[in-house]
Every structure is written in C-alpha cells, then in structure tokens.
C-alpha cells in the first residue's frame, strides 16, 4: 500500500546531529516531493522544508537554513532529514509528508512520526 | 512569512452541535488553504483542501469555506469521534505555515 515509514526514535545530546529517514512505498517515488514538519510536545505544526524526489532540489524554512539538510536515495525510495547543532527546543516529533503533486501544497500522506529527544 | 491566526484555541460542544473554527491569513492566499485533523499520538489527517474541497473518504459533516484572507471550517453535527485538534495550513507561498490549532472537546 501507499505509505511513508520513518525511522525510530532518537535521543541526542545538545550540539549533536540527528538523521531521520522516511521510506516511501506504493507510488512512483520521483513523481512527488517530500516535506518535513515537526511538532514540539503539546505544540503546533512547523514546516521545515521540502525536497524534490525528482531532482533533489530543496527549499528550507529560513529558521532551519543553516542547520538542516534533506537528501534522497532513489535506489531505496528514501528521504533523509539531518538536523545539526541540536538544542533542547529541537525536541519534537518529526514527520515526513507527501503532497498530492510534486510541489508542497496539501499533504495527503504522512509518516508515523519520529520522536527526537534532545537532553543532556 | 504568511501568519495564520486560528481561533478559538479550544472549544467544547455537545454531540450534535454545529462547530465552526476560523483561520485568518496575514495576506491574500486566494484559496490555498487546507484543514487537518490530528488525534493524540497520530499524524495529521487531511480533511479539506483548497479551502472547500472535501478529501476523499472524509465524512460530509466536515466542510470549509472562504477565500483571500478569511476562512472557516465547520463540523455540522459534532460526533464523539471528532474529538481532536484541527489545524489550518496555507500553501500560497513558502514557507508553508500552519495555524496554532483548535482543540475540540465534548461537553
């Protein structure tokens, strides 16, 4: 079936990096982009950026521009999101999400979420 | 960045009540507005796209309206399974932005 499956939860210390994966199945991977959206505990949703699975083009929210890198592996239909220089306020559930088309619009498919906990 | 102001932040209503949530954009976003439902511990689920289009499989008691800067989301007859948090989201321009959410409970 059509789904996005994310990697498991991570515990990191401040200053470390984390790399979360999102593996797609059930559709033509390169036809769609993937966005990353995070949600701090008890808080709202925050869009981090987007990557085209077709050509690897990216667009990051300015807030994360200096710390985030999104990449794709078309051989495994997987998208990766790496966040560096982690702080305690990066503690959140990170979701990958696929829009209805190739460009960020409305998200019809979501991963199950990956909890990243940053604590000393 | 386009700011999305959603209200109220929480509400309680009785089963069968009509519930309305509003979302205001800081600038004209035409009809590039979506609504999601999120239940605890789960990913958001798309209900309405392009301001007023019902996503496939979503019950018809959910509806959306509006354009430019002012939007509304309505549950015509609140059901116990509708207990959740609802978010609006604009995609007129990047970065995509979400409203702060409305937590809907049962009286």
């Amino acid at each position: 079936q059509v789904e996005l499956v994310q990697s498991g939860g991570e515990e990191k210390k401040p200053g470390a990096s984390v790399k979360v994966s999102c593996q797609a199945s059930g559709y033509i991977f390169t036809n769609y982009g993937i966005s990353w959206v995070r949600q701090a505990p008890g808080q709202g949703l925050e869009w981090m950026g987007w990557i085209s699975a077709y050509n690897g083009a990216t667009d990051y929210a300015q807030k994360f521009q200096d710390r985030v890198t999104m990449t794709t592996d078309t051989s495994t239909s997987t998208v990766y999101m790496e966040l560096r220089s982690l702080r305690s306020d990066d503690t959140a559930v990170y979701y990958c999400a696929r829009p209805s088309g190739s460009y960020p619009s409305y998200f019809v498919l979501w991963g199950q979420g990956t909890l990243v906990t940053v604590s000393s | 960045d386009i700011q999305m102001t959603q209200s109220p932040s929480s509400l309680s209503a009785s089963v069968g009540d009509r519930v309305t949530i509003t979302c205001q954009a800081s600038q004209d976003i035409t009809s590039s507005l979506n609504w999601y439902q999120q239940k605890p511990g789960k990913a958001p689920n798309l209900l309405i796209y392009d301001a007023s289009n019902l996503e496939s499989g979503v019950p018809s008691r959910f509806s959306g309206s509006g354009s430019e800067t002012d939007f509304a989301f309505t549950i015509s007859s609140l059901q116990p399974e509708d207990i959740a948090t609802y978010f609006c989201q604009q995609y007129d321009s990047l970065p995509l932005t979400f409203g702060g959410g409305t937590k809907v409970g049962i009286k």
Side-chain angles (χ1 to χ4, degrees), chain A residues 1-73:
Chain A
Q1 69 272 30
V2 179
E3 63 179 354
L4 299 173
V5 178
Q6 298 183 222
S7 49
E10 301 262 14
E11 287 195 22
K12 296 291 182 181
K13 296 205 181 301
S17 298
V18 69
K19 194 169 187 176
V20 181
S21 68
C22 170
Q23 185 168 36
S25 61
Y27 68 91
I28 300 173
F29 179 67
T30 52
N31 280 3
Y32 301 89
I34 291 284
S35 282
W36 288 89
V37 176
R38 76 176 187 178
Q39 186 171 36
Q43 301 302 307
L45 300 165
E46 183 173 34
W47 184 79
M48 301 178 67
W50 163 85
I51 183 166
S52 165
Y54 174 70
N55 60 11
T58 56
D59 201 316
Y60 303 139
Q62 188 168 9
K63 174 177 179 177
F64 301 101
Q65 188 79 38
D66 296 336
R67 297 197 295 137
V68 72
T69 302
M70 297 176 189
T71 55
T72 64
D73 181 346

Side-chain angles (χ1 to χ4, degrees), chain A residues 35 37 39 43-47 59 61 95 103-108 110-112, chain B residues 34 36 38 41-46 49-50 55 87 89 91 94-96 98 100:
Chain A
S35 282
V37 176
Q39 186 171 36
Q43 301 302 307
L45 300 165
E46 183 173 34
W47 184 79
D59 201 316
Y95 294 102
Y103 194 74
S105 57
Y106 48 93
F107 299 116
V108 299
W110 294 73
Q112 82 276 20
Chain B
N34 310 311
Y36 298 87
Q38 186 179 33
K42 299 293 186 183
N45 181 47
L46 178 70
Y49 64 94
D50 292 346
E55 173 67 351
F87 294 94
Q89 174 242 320
Y91 69 95
L94 298 183
L96 305 186
F98 292 85

